[in-house]
Amino acid sequence: MKHLVIAEKPSVARDIARVLGCTNKTASYMEGKDYIVTWALGHLVTLADPEEYGSQYKSWNMDTLPMLPEHWKLVVIKQTSGQYRAVKEQIFRKDVSDIIIATDAGREGELVARWILEKCGNKKPLKRLWISSVTDKAIREGFSHLRPGKDYDNLYRAAAARAEADWAVGINATRALTCKYNAQLSCGRVQTPTLAMIAAREAEIRNFVPQPYYGLNISAQGIVFTWQDQKNGSSRTFSRERLETICRSVRKNGSSLRVTALTKKRKKSFSPALYDLTALQQDANRKYGFSAKETLNLMQHLYENHKVLTYPRTDSRYLTSDMAGTLRERLKACAVGPYRRPAARLSMQEIRPDRSFINNAKVSDHHAIIPTEQFVQLEAMSSDERKIYDLVVRRFLAVLSPACEYDETSVTAECSGEVFRASAKLMVTAGWREISENLDFDPAEDSLDFTSASSPDLTAGLSRLKNGSLLPVSAAVITEGKTAPPSRFTEGTLIAAMENPVKYLEHRDSSIIRTLGETGGLGTVATRADIIEKLFSSFLMEKKGSEIHITSKGRQLLSLVPEDLKRPELTAQWELRLKSIAQGKESDQKFLQEIEEYTKSLIRQIREAEGTFRHDNLTRHKCPQCGRFMLEVNGKHGKMLVCQDRECGYRETLSRKTNARCPVCHKKMELVGKGESQRFVCSCGYKEKLSSFQDRKKSQGKSANKRDVANYLKRQAKEAAAPINSAFADALKNLDLPQK
């Protein structure tokens, strides 16, 4: 008898098949002596659309809401139905004794496989492969420690409960809003509070009034001392009059600083923690401008195709104790290119398991992102893949490196009854900082700032002082600045805010704050990138440069959505309940019963609410298919015209952002127009036809071949045809909406 292995993606299936010796390859599975390996293509099965539950749901009507199925139905996704039939055929082979689930090791991965098995009506016993990397070694070890499938039944119940609850709340609220206001409006328990955070930040910026603040620096024997408030320790004050009085007193003839305290300490600075997905997305956005989705996709390639990094969808920044013995082998594997010398040096030294990076209590499903034991071929990676790999490897090497040691000299002095301080840091041993040379760490993670570190001369000058020393004051200068508003969100900072949305809670309840901390904030590391993409694709927010701005549609939506759906508390409470279900501490049926009652209350609120929705981006361009006026929207990749009629769905690209650089100012240009009239346009005023651009690049020896150009234009057309609705686009697109 044979074992059937179901992987999530073909690339992972190929790796597993190779390790298991499955050499007989077909279009839908690979077979060997003892194993058959097949795959899903992401989800092959999903929850049924509303119309599957009755003909009354085929048209959008407020009277049919809420839709709350008594028994949930699963349907095969049309686009991947061929692979579903192939998997089902293998499941019911008479020579297959059991099923091994080898989908991604997480809640959603469990759902992918279990829905397929449930739809097929499988009765055969289940086993589970649970691994964090897809190297040959990890696969072999995973198959030698397979777990019974029943060990993950509760995880499946939590995954199914999440999907059904999101369907109930999202589909019903979206239909209710769309019917009431006759506009494409969607909401959800994660995307709506995320949008509300962006609106809250914009309100902060709009209402911000800058205030001038002041400081005082005095010079004595070539050393600059900074005034410090004795009450609160701040070096700033909003009272200029106060500092002017102090300054006049300090400037008096014969004024001197008297040293009251002098300390010199040898201190240590330790590397920032290993990466989880959120921290990696933040750094990749800040350093390279990658979107959260781009970083996740690049990580997925490095995990699945190159097999040089571990599982990306992790929320932990720690390793487990049983991994300590693998660190030397991982160092040897990544000892290539610029990492050869530091990795080789570290692999020759004793590696001490330190609680700063090894902590079993802080690892749930998956450990931090680190290199695998797989041999690395840097030349096989794309430029962007190299950048992500570089971030992870440098952080890994830094964590295993010795601490950075430095001497900090601090002097406290008194003049005219006021306190002044001066300090200097002098690096003694670079330690992990030598590994991270030229790498711009996030200041929030790196408390030691050497960008303004003092020179050895200044350090020596401070060290020569003694308690009671009198230093004549040579100058006193009042400094001035203005308070700045909070920065607009970028994708990196929005990901961070989703992970820790405590600041945006309406009520600072300690239990809710604790819940958000336990559940990891809004959404999960696996879903946040998709949530951000959905907010862009449904035109609720837009990008201006790297900054995120809420659109008029987004602002209006927030004014119409029930208050509960805008609060981070809701998703935090859901995630905590789902976690309890996964741990077997709570019933999924009880949770779903409460969701039904909550959905009913949402529909009542929307039905009884007063409000209007107005398209303020309406143009005079008529849709060539239905004749209605079209809307101009700023998509993530450029400007588009979109028909206001949801049933029509026609859209037309006006311009697209490209990576082509302007020959005048070197900024990225936009591609506008259609067909042969396409041309590049730059913000500096430069214009150039696409054909002229290609000729110029050809003459410079940098032209793309015809296939590359064709592929680019094909991608452009594909993206222009992609769904522009929310997460529920596929569920909603075939439904009839009554017109006013």
Side-chain angles (χ1 to χ4, degrees):
M1 299 294 283
K2 297 186 177 183
H3 313 281
L4 176 64
V5 181
I6 302 178
E8 190 159 332
K9 299 181 180 69
S11 59
V12 177
R14 285 192 294 269
D15 295 329
I16 293 174
R18 186 185 67 256
V19 171
L20 298 178
C22 300
T23 55
N24 180 22
K25 300 179 181 179
T26 73
S28 55
Y29 67 91
M30 289 162 275
E31 188 170 355
K33 179 183 175 183
D34 299 314
Y35 294 92
I36 304 164
V37 182
T38 188
W39 56 86
L41 297 166
H43 280 283
L44 298 181
V45 174
T46 190
L47 291 174
D49 289 341
E51 60 264 34
E52 296 290 332
Y53 295 100
S55 58
Q56 69 271 30
Y57 299 129
K58 288 184 178 180
S59 61
W60 287 38
N61 193 319
M62 187 75 83
D63 295 335
T64 62
L65 302 179
M67 301 175 290
L68 297 169
E70 186 174 346
H71 301 288
W72 292 93
K73 295 181 181 180
L74 294 174
V75 295
V76 178
I77 297 173
K78 196 174 194 180
Q79 295 90 328
T80 54
S81 57
Q83 184 61 24
Y84 168 79
R85 288 192 297 270
V87 173
K88 183 177 181 180
E89 184 179 333
Q90 303 309 308
I91 289 172
F92 286 101
R93 277 176 52 163
K94 292 183 179 180
D95 60 342
V96 169
S97 61
D98 56 10
I99 314 294
I100 299 173
I101 296 175
T103 47
D104 284 354
R107 191 171 72 190
E108 291 307 306
E110 194 70 22
L111 192 65
V112 167
R114 294 294 189 112
W115 269 356
I116 294 170
L117 295 169
E118 184 177 330
K119 182 64 177 174
C120 290
N122 172 66
K123 302 295 182 184
K124 294 179 179 179
L126 301 179
K127 293 180 181 178
R128 189 46 156 117
L129 174 72
W130 195 272
I131 55 177
S132 292
S133 63
V134 286
T135 63
D136 291 4
K137 179 180 178 181
I139 292 170
R140 280 192 291 269
E141 289 181 352
F143 271 89
S144 67
H145 297 90
L146 291 173
R147 301 275 297 276
K150 61 181 174 50
D151 288 0
Y152 297 90
D153 285 350
N154 287 328
L155 183 65
Y156 168 50
R157 292 188 185 99
R162 193 278 310 157
E164 291 164 9
D166 275 336
W167 191 102
V169 172
I171 291 286
N172 277 289
T174 295
R175 275 203 176 197
L177 287 167
T178 301
C179 289
K180 184 172 180 68
Y181 300 107
N182 194 28
Q184 296 181 24
L185 299 175
S186 65
C187 60
R189 68 176 176 99
V190 179
Q191 72 177 51
T192 309
T194 300
L195 187 67
M197 289 197 304
I198 298 167
R201 175 60 58 87
E202 291 207 356
E204 281 185 76
I205 295 170
R206 185 170 57 253
N207 298 328
F208 182 82
V209 178
Q211 287 184 282
Y213 61 83
Y214 308 94
L216 175 61
N217 291 338
I218 64 174
S219 299
Q221 291 190 353
I223 302 171
V224 176
F225 290 81
T226 302
W227 171 80
Q228 191 170 62
D229 193 318
Q230 296 180 58
K231 289 184 178 180
N232 56 28
S234 174
S235 59
R236 295 179 178 181
T237 179
F238 293 105
S239 172
R240 185 181 181 94
E241 293 75 14
R242 180 184 179 188
L243 283 188
E244 285 178 342
T245 301
I246 297 172
C247 191
R248 283 194 297 269
S249 178
V250 167
R251 285 172 175 168
K252 286 181 180 178
N253 291 334
S255 290
S256 297
L257 275 170
R258 182 173 59 84
V259 176
T260 57
L262 188 148
T263 59
K264 181 178 180 181
K265 291 183 180 179
R266 177 68 54 88
K267 293 188 175 182
K268 291 183 177 181
S269 158
F270 297 93
S271 164
L274 294 168
Y275 280 120
D276 63 3
L277 180 58
T278 300
L280 183 61
Q281 287 169 323
Q282 286 179 254
D283 276 5
N285 179 259
R286 181 175 53 82
K287 189 169 176 62
Y288 301 117
F290 293 160
S291 71
K293 187 68 172 178
E294 285 172 331
T295 299
L296 178 56
N297 289 341
L298 291 167
M299 263 297 307
Q300 203 71 31
H301 287 152
L302 291 165
Y303 164 68
E304 290 180 3
N305 299 64
H306 299 286
K307 305 177 195 58
V308 294
L309 295 182
T310 55
Y311 186 70
R313 292 177 171 88
T314 176
D315 60 357
S316 175
R317 305 186 71 171
Y318 293 85
L319 307 177
T320 52
S321 55
D322 61 342
M323 298 183 66
T326 71
L327 299 180
R328 196 177 307 279
E329 191 174 354
R330 296 172 193 271
L331 283 169
K332 291 178 179 178
C334 65
V336 296
Y339 325 111
R340 180 178 286 110
R341 292 178 64 184
R345 183 173 67 250
L346 289 170
S347 67
M348 299 290 288
Q349 300 172 0
E350 180 185 0
I351 300 175
R352 297 179 180 177
D354 191 291
R355 282 188 66 81
S356 64
F357 65 93
I358 292 185
N359 190 331
N360 293 347
K362 294 190 176 182
V363 180
S364 52
D365 291 339
H366 298 284
H367 55 72
I369 300 169
I370 60 172
T372 66
E373 305 95 330
Q374 182 81 14
F375 174 72
V376 177
Q377 290 181 292
L378 295 176
E379 63 276 7
M381 300 179 194
S382 69
S383 172
D384 288 346
E385 288 170 346
R386 278 284 302 272
K387 291 172 181 175
I388 297 298
Y389 182 73
D390 182 74
L391 285 173
V392 174
V393 173
R394 285 181 186 264
R395 182 63 61 91
F396 177 64
L397 297 177
V399 165
L400 296 181
S401 297
C404 166
E405 296 188 19
Y406 63 98
D407 286 334
E408 183 175 74
T409 304
S410 298
V411 176
T412 303
E414 183 269 341
C415 182
S416 298
E418 297 290 334
V419 173
F420 294 84
R421 295 187 188 277
S423 64
K425 301 184 187 82
L426 187 64
M427 188 181 291
V428 177
T429 305
W432 64 269
R433 285 181 171 275
E434 184 179 357
I435 301 289
S436 306
E437 187 178 358
N438 300 323
L439 190 63
D440 181 23
F441 278 109
D442 185 349
E445 292 195 340
D446 185 14
S447 59
L448 180 62
D449 179 16
F450 274 106
T451 57
S452 59
S454 307
S455 67
D457 290 343
L458 179 55
T459 303
L462 289 175
S463 300
R464 285 195 294 268
L465 299 177
K466 297 179 181 178
N467 281 341
S469 296
L470 292 176
L471 309 178
V473 175
S474 57
V477 178
I478 292 178
T479 60
E480 184 176 347
K482 282 189 177 182
T483 55
S487 301
R488 291 187 182 275
F489 282 119
T490 64
E491 286 204 45
T493 56
L494 181 57
I495 281 277
M498 292 173 74
E499 184 179 49
N500 185 22
V502 171
K503 179 182 176 183
Y504 302 92
L505 296 180
E506 186 171 328
H507 305 290
R508 295 296 182 94
D509 184 276
S510 59
S511 63
I512 292 295
I513 293 173
R514 185 171 61 254
T515 298
L516 283 167
E518 291 175 358
T519 58
L522 287 172
T524 66
V525 289
T527 60
R528 287 180 191 128
D530 284 333
I531 292 297
I532 290 174
E533 291 296 313
K534 288 166 189 171
L535 289 169
F536 279 124
S537 64
S538 52
F539 311 118
L540 297 172
M541 66 185 194
E542 62 188 10
K543 260 189 178 181
K544 295 180 181 178
S546 62
E547 296 179 338
I548 295 174
H549 294 246
I550 191 170
T551 62
S552 171
K553 180 180 180 181
R555 277 189 293 272
Q556 291 186 78
L557 174 66
L558 289 176
S559 70
L560 303 174
V561 167
E563 287 298 317
D564 263 6
L565 279 178
K566 294 188 282 189
R567 294 174 181 152
E569 293 94 324
L570 176 66
T571 191
Q573 291 163 349
W574 278 32
E575 287 297 334
L576 193 61
R577 301 282 297 279
L578 293 170
K579 185 177 180 181
S580 294
I581 294 169
Q583 294 172 342
K585 298 177 181 178
E586 185 174 346
S587 163
D588 56 328
Q589 293 307 310
K590 179 183 177 184
F591 171 70
L592 288 171
Q593 286 171 6
E594 292 178 19
I595 291 298
E596 286 191 8
E597 293 304 314
Y598 176 67
T599 302
K600 292 175 183 177
S601 72
L602 281 180
I603 299 305
R604 283 196 298 271
Q605 290 178 58
I606 294 173
R607 185 180 281 120
E608 296 167 3
E610 295 181 3
T612 57
F613 182 88
R614 181 176 64 86
H615 288 299
D616 58 0
N617 55 342
L618 205 62
T619 70
R620 304 306 296 171
H621 295 280
K622 288 189 175 181
C623 173
Q625 292 186 1
C626 70
R628 292 191 168 210
F629 288 118
M630 300 179 73
L631 309 173
E632 183 176 314
V633 295
N634 289 317
K636 187 175 182 182
H637 303 290
K639 291 184 179 180
M640 301 175 67
L641 288 176
V642 179
C643 182
Q644 63 174 296
D645 187 345
R646 178 192 55 80
E647 292 182 34
C648 175
Y650 178 81
R651 88 267 313 272
E652 183 179 312
T653 299
L654 293 178
S655 67
R656 288 187 54 80
K657 299 169 186 174
T658 74
N659 287 322
R661 297 282 180 174
C662 172
V664 177
C665 69
H666 305 294
K667 292 180 181 177
K668 291 183 179 181
M669 298 188 291
E670 289 189 338
L671 186 63
V672 303
K674 294 185 292 185
E676 295 182 359
S677 64
Q678 289 183 98
R679 66 189 185 281
F680 286 101
V681 175
C682 180
S683 58
C684 73
Y686 178 81
K687 297 179 182 179
E688 183 177 20
K689 285 187 176 180
L690 176 60
S691 56
S692 300
F693 173 84
Q694 291 171 336
D695 291 341
R696 176 165 61 82
K697 289 297 180 184
K698 187 175 181 180
S699 67
Q700 295 173 354
K702 299 178 181 178
S703 63
N705 58 39
K706 290 183 178 179
R707 179 181 295 177
D708 291 336
V709 174
N711 286 340
Y712 172 78
L713 296 176
K714 187 177 180 181
R715 282 198 308 273
Q716 178 184 358
K718 184 178 179 181
E719 289 173 3
I724 61 170
N725 287 341
S726 68
F728 308 106
D730 290 335
L732 309 180
K733 63 185 179 183
N734 296 320
L735 301 175
D736 296 326
L737 177 66
Q739 303 296 326
K740 289 186 177 180

